[in-house]
Amino acid sequence: MRIENNCARSISNKSSKDIVFKKGIFSGLGNIVIALIIGEKEPEIIYIFITILFGFISYDLIINFYIKAQKNLGAAKTSAFYSVSPFLGVGFSFVILGESLLINYALFLLSSLLAL
């Protein structure tokens, strides 16, 4: 992840839309090649469109914002903030889904915050 972050930082002065488009195309092509190699069947067209929509929301928008953050904050600070996002997801699962808080979560959150 650090290599990818540093590479993204070196090209972050370019248009974030161009970077996201190129990363999305090559990631998608790589996934198609892997699927063909392992013998996956072609999905129904509706699933392809749903996957494209979710991919846009979960990958393209986040990478776009990430690159913009690197322009303003730098690679190290952006990576530090980005590393907290899984803990926010778990936190929302407590509030929204009523999940129980385990000691593992508290320990990992503490170690992540100390790394900032």
Side-chain angles (χ1 to χ4, degrees):
M1 180 82 170
R2 288 184 182 179
I3 293 172
E4 194 274 332
N5 290 343
N6 289 329
C7 290
R9 175 64 182 141
S10 67
I11 60 172
S12 66
N13 59 346
K14 299 181 182 343
S15 166
S16 59
K17 291 177 185 174
D18 290 341
I19 295 168
V20 168
F21 178 76
K22 289 174 185 171
K23 287 178 82 167
I25 291 293
F26 289 112
S27 296
L29 289 174
N31 287 333
I32 289 171
V33 168
I34 292 169
L36 292 174
I37 289 172
I38 64 173
E40 289 291 326
K41 295 187 303 184
E42 185 177 316
E44 295 179 34
I45 193 74
I46 187 70
Y47 296 121
I48 293 172
F49 287 120
I50 291 170
T51 302
I52 290 171
L53 176 65
F54 285 146
F56 171 74
I57 293 168
S58 65
Y59 182 77
D60 294 349
L61 289 178
I62 290 171
I63 295 297
N64 188 21
F65 293 141
Y66 184 84
I67 291 168
K68 287 182 179 187
Q70 280 190 334
K71 287 180 184 180
N72 295 319
L73 299 175
K77 286 182 184 176
T78 302
S79 295
F81 286 120
Y82 194 68
S83 70
V84 176
S85 63
F87 297 103
L88 293 176
V90 172
F92 286 132
S93 75
F94 296 143
V95 175
I96 296 170
L97 301 175
E99 296 287 330
S100 16
L101 177 62
L102 301 174
I103 189 69
N104 309 26
Y105 175 76
L107 292 173
F108 289 124
L109 178 61
L110 180 61
S111 67
S112 180
L113 292 175
L114 291 175
L116 292 176

